[in-house]
Amino acid sequence: MKKHSTNHFRTESLSLPSDRPSISDQLKHKTLPANKHFTTFITGWILRSGVILSASITLLGLLLMLIHPGGISEQSLQLFPQTLGQVWLGLMTLQPQAIIALGLLLLIATPVLSVTAALVGFALEHDRSYVVIALIVLATLVMSFWLGKAG
Amino acid sequence: MIHLSLVIILLIFVSAMLAGTLGSLVGLGGGVLIVPLLTLAFGLPIRYAIGTSIVAVIATSSGAAAAYVRNNMTNMRIGLFLEMATTIGAICGAFLAGLLAPASLFLIFGVILLISVIPQVFKIGEELPKGVHNDRWATWLHLGGSYPDQRLGREVSYQVTRTPLGLAMMYVAGVLSGLLGIGSGTLKVLAMDTIMCLPMKVSTTTSNFMIGVTAAASAGIYFARGDIPPLVAAPVALGILLGAFVGARLLSRLSNKTLRLIFVPIMAFVAVEMVLRGLGIGS
C-alpha cells in the first residue's frame, strides 16, 4: 500500500488501473498490510472517483451551455432546476443546466459517500468503536438533512 | 444582478482556483474568500453567494481530501471522531439560530478568534510539536498516527493530547456553522493544532476532510431552496477542484512552519471580517 502514496492523483482514472489489485482481490488474497490502511484506501478511492466524476459532468454541462446559442443570459441565472425531479426532467432533454446540477449534486454527495466508505472499511477491519462513530456521524447527517427539509 | 459572460465565468474560475489552492493548504473552505469575492467583485446577490460558497467548501474539502487521505496525511480516525461533535453541534446551532442575534455572535467569535491569534504567533517557529503524550481517550481510540513528511524526508509519528477539550471545541465549531452558516475551518484547525497538539499538516488536512462532511449536511437544503445557481457554482467548483489539487501537491513540499505562516494571516483576516460583520460594517 505504501507505494500507492507516491502515485499521482492525475494518473488515476475513474476505475482502478488493472495492474493494481482491486478491493475484492485484496480482501480475497489477504494482501492487505497493516489493517488501518484499508479504510484509508477505500475512502480515498471514493473521494477521488466522486471528485473526478462530478468535475467531468459539471465541465460537460458548462461546455454544452457555452456552445448553446444564447446559453448564458440573465434568465439562465434565475431559472434552473432545484429539485431532483426537475434535474431528472432536464437531464431527459439534455438541458445543460440540469447536467451541471447533476455534477454539483454528485459533488455534494461525495463527502457523505466517503463517510459511508469509511464505515464499510472499519466494519471490514472489525474496528467496532469506529463503526459506531461513523454510524453516529452518518445518522446525524441524515437527521440534519431531514430536519432542514421539515423546517 | 450579475451580468454573466464568458469573461466573467473565466474570472470566477481563476479566482476560485486561487481560493481552492489556499483553502486546501490551510484547511479552510474558502467561503470567507468566495463570498466577498462574488458579492463585491461580481455583484452576485448574497443569497446566491452563500449557496455557492457551500459548494466551494465541499469542492475544497473533497478535492484536497482525495489527495490527502490517500497519502496518509489526513488522520481519518481523528476526523471522524471529532466530526461526531461537529455535526451534532451544527444541528444544535441551527435550532439556536432564531434565538440569538447573529450580529453579536459574529462580534463575540471574531474577538475570540482575534485573541487566539496570539498563541499562534508564538508557535510560528514550531516545526513539530514536542513532548506530546497520548491521553486516555487517544490511547483507547488509537488516535495517534504518523504521516510521510516529504520535506523532512521521513515518516513523522505523533501523539494526541487533551482530546475531550478538542472534542468540546469541535462542538462549538459545529454550533457556529449551524448558527452563522460559516464553514468554521479556522476553529477546526485551531482545536487540533493548539489544543490537541497535532502537527500543522495533520491539523489542516484533517480539517479539510471534516469541513466537507459538515457542509454536505446543509448543502442539500441550499440546493432545494434554489440558492445554488449552476452557472456560477460550476466555474467555482471546477476552479476550486483544480486549485485544491495544486494545493495538495504544494503541501507535501512545504514545511509546517511555512504552512503556519500562511495560516496565521488568513486566520487574522477571518477574525477581523467577523468583527466587522458583528459591528455591521461590510457585507
Side-chain angles (χ1 to χ4, degrees):
Chain A
M1 191 59 93
K2 191 79 199 23
K3 74 176 163 89
H4 297 328
S5 62
T6 55
N7 267 350
H8 285 236
F9 177 51
R10 199 176 343 182
T11 58
E12 282 290 293
S13 58
L14 285 178
S15 55
L16 283 171
S18 53
D19 60 330
R20 192 200 273 190
S22 74
I23 301 170
S24 55
D25 278 350
Q26 290 203 13
L27 278 179
K28 238 178 271 166
H29 304 300
K30 297 213 176 355
T31 52
L32 288 173
N35 59 0
K36 74 163 186 176
H37 290 303
F38 182 63
T39 307
T40 309
F41 174 74
I42 187 171
T43 314
W45 187 77
I46 287 287
L47 279 167
R48 283 197 305 284
S49 312
V51 162
I52 295 170
L53 199 61
S54 66
S56 317
I57 296 174
T58 308
L59 185 64
L60 177 78
L62 196 61
L63 291 177
L64 277 177
M65 189 99 207
L66 293 177
I67 57 167
H68 196 264
I72 310 165
S73 62
E74 297 282 287
Q75 213 188 20
S76 54
L77 189 65
Q78 306 263 326
L79 290 171
F80 50 85
Q82 292 175 21
T83 63
L84 289 180
Q86 286 168 0
V87 172
W88 179 247
L89 279 177
L91 284 176
M92 293 288 100
T93 53
L94 289 177
Q95 192 202 332
Q97 298 245 56
I99 297 175
I100 297 177
L102 177 72
L104 295 175
L105 281 174
L106 191 63
L107 185 67
I108 291 171
T110 300
V112 185
L113 290 176
S114 77
V115 175
T116 316
L119 172 73
V120 172
F122 284 124
L124 290 173
E125 286 171 17
H126 304 291
D127 194 334
R128 286 225 185 97
S129 28
Y130 278 90
V131 169
V132 173
I133 289 172
L135 270 176
I136 294 176
V137 173
L138 269 183
T140 321
L141 282 177
V142 171
M143 195 161 85
S144 72
F145 190 65
W146 181 75
L147 285 173
K149 268 203 146 159
Chain B
M1 173 56 76
I2 186 169
H3 203 85
L4 276 179
S5 68
L6 190 55
V7 182
I8 298 273
I9 288 185
L10 274 176
L11 275 176
I12 293 179
F13 176 80
V14 173
S15 340
M17 215 179 108
L18 290 175
T21 309
L22 219 52
S24 65
L25 283 179
V26 296
L28 317 181
V32 274
L33 305 168
I34 289 287
V35 173
L37 180 94
L38 289 176
T39 51
L40 300 178
F42 298 113
L44 196 73
I46 184 81
R47 173 184 157 213
Y48 288 155
I50 291 176
T52 306
S53 88
I54 291 277
V55 173
V57 172
I58 297 177
T60 313
S61 168
S62 299
Y68 295 145
V69 165
R70 169 196 183 73
N71 60 23
N72 260 321
M73 209 69 108
T74 306
N75 187 320
M76 290 277 303
R77 286 167 187 268
I78 296 184
L80 271 179
F81 174 65
L82 297 177
E83 196 53 42
M84 274 195 309
T86 312
T87 42
I88 293 171
I91 291 193
C92 298
F95 272 111
L96 288 173
L99 304 171
L100 300 164
S104 49
L105 284 166
F106 271 118
L107 190 61
I108 293 167
F109 286 105
V111 171
I112 292 175
L113 217 49
L114 266 182
I115 296 169
S116 356
V117 171
I118 300 164
Q120 279 294 317
V121 171
F122 282 110
K123 282 184 90 176
I124 250 171
E126 182 195 279
E127 178 59 30
L128 289 171
K130 289 184 194 74
V132 181
H133 296 291
N134 275 342
D135 62 0
R136 217 182 314 157
W137 288 59
T139 311
W140 178 53
L141 292 163
H142 308 289
L143 291 180
S146 64
Y147 76 94
D149 199 311
Q150 216 175 310
R151 174 82 184 203
L152 297 172
R154 66 184 167 95
E155 186 86 7
V156 174
S157 55
Y158 53 87
Q159 302 205 2
V160 186
T161 187
R162 286 184 287 198
T163 311
L165 195 59
L167 195 67
M169 181 77 162
M170 285 297 173
Y171 175 78
V172 174
V175 171
L176 270 187
S177 53
L179 210 54
L180 306 178
I182 53 168
S184 68
T186 331
L187 282 179
K188 289 186 170 94
V189 177
L190 274 179
M192 284 184 272
D193 180 69
T194 316
I195 299 175
M196 300 168 78
C197 296
L198 294 170
M200 193 63 179
K201 281 185 187 176
V202 178
S203 304
T204 64
T205 55
T206 305
S207 166
N208 257 318
F209 170 70
M210 294 175 65
I211 52 174
V213 181
T214 315
S218 48
I221 300 159
Y222 281 93
F223 185 87
R225 253 196 248 152
D227 287 356
I228 304 177
L231 255 187
V232 182
V236 166
L238 291 172
I240 284 206
L241 285 176
L242 200 62
F245 172 68
V246 174
R249 278 283 113 100
L250 269 173
L251 182 115
S252 54
R253 292 192 194 114
L254 294 178
S255 68
N256 283 307
K257 280 182 207 167
T258 317
L259 206 55
R260 204 181 290 281
L261 272 179
I262 304 172
F263 175 71
V264 172
I266 294 181
M267 179 184 159
F269 172 79
V270 173
V272 170
E273 199 190 278
M274 282 180 93
V275 170
L276 288 180
R277 274 175 82 169
L279 295 172
I281 308 164
S283 56

